[in-house]
Amino acid sequence: MTKEEILEKSRNELGEKDVFDLEVQKKAASVAYFSSFGLCLFVSLLNWIFTKHISVQCWIIFFGMLSIAFFVKFFKMKKLHELFVALVYFLIFTALVVLLCLQLTGKLPGAAE
């Protein structure tokens, strides 16, 4: 098999996507996950310093994003590990939404104050 035939077969398997492009997308997604975690942590610390309350809104977005990403990975890869991680992130997301609703209705101290 020649080099051109191998490259053509690889392109067909990857759906005309370049391997370098896929690696860059993977690295960008990884950096985005860690950056968003750092930003949520930074916003939460600022909120704690100035209001003595933890704001859950940015964490809702963060864990919602992670749960969707892992659900997509599960549906594409059919690996139970991805489903387990997605469900854990979704449970955290759901708990934070409930906490926010309780805060907004005044049943818990926080956002309504």
Side-chain angles (χ1 to χ4, degrees):
M1 193 177 268
T2 66
K3 180 179 177 183
E4 288 78 23
E5 290 172 337
I6 294 170
L7 287 172
E8 182 64 30
K9 186 176 179 183
S10 176
R11 279 190 207 102
N12 290 337
E13 289 175 359
L14 294 174
E16 298 297 322
K17 290 195 175 187
D18 186 11
V19 174
F20 178 71
D21 183 47
L22 292 173
E23 286 299 316
V24 169
Q25 288 179 16
K26 181 180 171 184
K27 181 66 175 176
S30 177
V31 169
Y33 288 147
F34 288 111
S35 298
S36 60
F37 175 79
L39 290 171
C40 286
L41 189 60
F42 177 70
V43 168
S44 293
L45 286 173
L46 284 178
N47 201 20
W48 176 256
I49 290 169
F50 291 111
T51 67
K52 300 298 183 224
H53 294 286
I54 297 293
S55 175
V56 297
Q57 289 91 334
C58 64
W59 292 108
I60 289 171
I61 294 167
F62 177 73
F63 284 106
M65 175 190 68
L66 286 178
S67 65
I68 290 169
F70 277 90
F71 276 124
V72 169
K73 283 177 71 175
F74 167 71
F75 289 122
K76 295 286 185 183
M77 299 169 65
K78 303 293 188 231
K79 291 185 178 179
L80 285 179
H81 172 265
E82 307 300 329
L83 177 61
F84 176 73
V85 173
L87 289 173
V88 169
Y89 284 144
F90 185 72
L91 288 174
I92 295 170
F93 166 79
T94 305
L96 291 172
V97 169
V98 169
L99 178 63
L100 177 64
C101 290
L102 291 173
Q103 287 177 340
L104 290 174
T105 58
K107 295 181 179 167
L108 285 177
E113 293 179 353

